[in-house]
Amino acid sequence: MEFDHSRETPFAEESNRLLPPEISRTLQLNKLIFELPEPRRQEAITSWTGEIRGRLDQLKGEGTPRVSVIIPAKNEEHNVLQVLNTLSLQESRYPFEVIVVANNCTDKTAELARMCGVRVVEYTIADKKDIP
């Protein structure tokens, strides 16, 4: 079942007010970007993914990462940048890597994650409905 991103609920508006300002700005920016017409949307995505990539590169540090953040995703084109941006705003005393596991994606989830400089693992596992 796909989530309808176009619907706003009173609960969603109220919960956004309770979020830390950085998270609230991330949600607002993501919504605005995906409402833009092409080619402005692509320009905004390129700019934002560049910012995310820069912050994540700083968090990687030198050498082998001590922490791996693994994000499972299936058709999360409208959400993956929110998650990666929020991660990029974190502070860590340990170098870490981010891995997006894109399973059966038919949208731009993997492409957007790669634009942010994270490792992307794409593979296909049958849906439960396909398993006898």
Side-chain angles (χ1 to χ4, degrees):
M1 179 175 171
E2 295 288 323
F3 179 74
D4 182 0
H5 298 280
S6 65
R7 292 182 52 213
E8 283 293 327
T9 64
F11 176 75
E13 290 176 14
E14 179 62 26
S15 64
N16 283 349
R17 282 191 282 264
L18 301 174
L19 293 171
E22 310 82 41
I23 305 297
S24 184
R25 279 193 296 274
T26 295
L27 295 172
Q28 291 169 356
L29 180 59
N30 190 73
K31 182 178 179 196
L32 289 172
I33 285 175
F34 283 98
E35 289 176 351
L36 288 172
E38 290 293 350
R40 289 186 60 214
R41 177 185 308 152
Q42 190 55 47
E43 292 169 3
I45 287 172
T46 300
S47 175
W48 197 20
T49 56
E51 292 173 19
I52 295 168
R53 181 184 203 119
R55 289 191 299 268
L56 287 173
D57 283 346
Q58 289 180 347
L59 291 169
K60 283 180 188 175
E62 298 294 323
T64 304
R66 295 187 60 192
V67 177
S68 295
V69 178
I70 302 172
I71 303 167
K74 180 175 180 181
N75 294 336
E76 295 293 342
E77 175 181 2
H78 290 273
N79 298 311
V80 71
L81 294 180
Q82 293 176 121
V83 172
L84 294 174
N85 187 65
T86 302
L87 278 172
S88 76
L89 296 171
Q90 303 304 306
E91 294 180 15
S92 176
R93 59 183 163 165
Y94 302 108
F96 69 85
E97 66 178 338
V98 178
I99 303 167
V100 172
V101 181
N103 181 31
N104 285 334
C105 290
T106 58
D107 65 0
K108 296 182 179 182
T109 300
E111 176 186 341
L112 293 173
R114 279 191 189 94
M115 289 173 71
C116 292
V118 302
R119 186 170 152 210
V120 176
V121 177
E122 289 186 80
Y123 71 107
T124 303
I125 290 184
D127 286 332
K128 290 179 185 177
K129 65 180 182 185
D130 298 329
I131 299 173

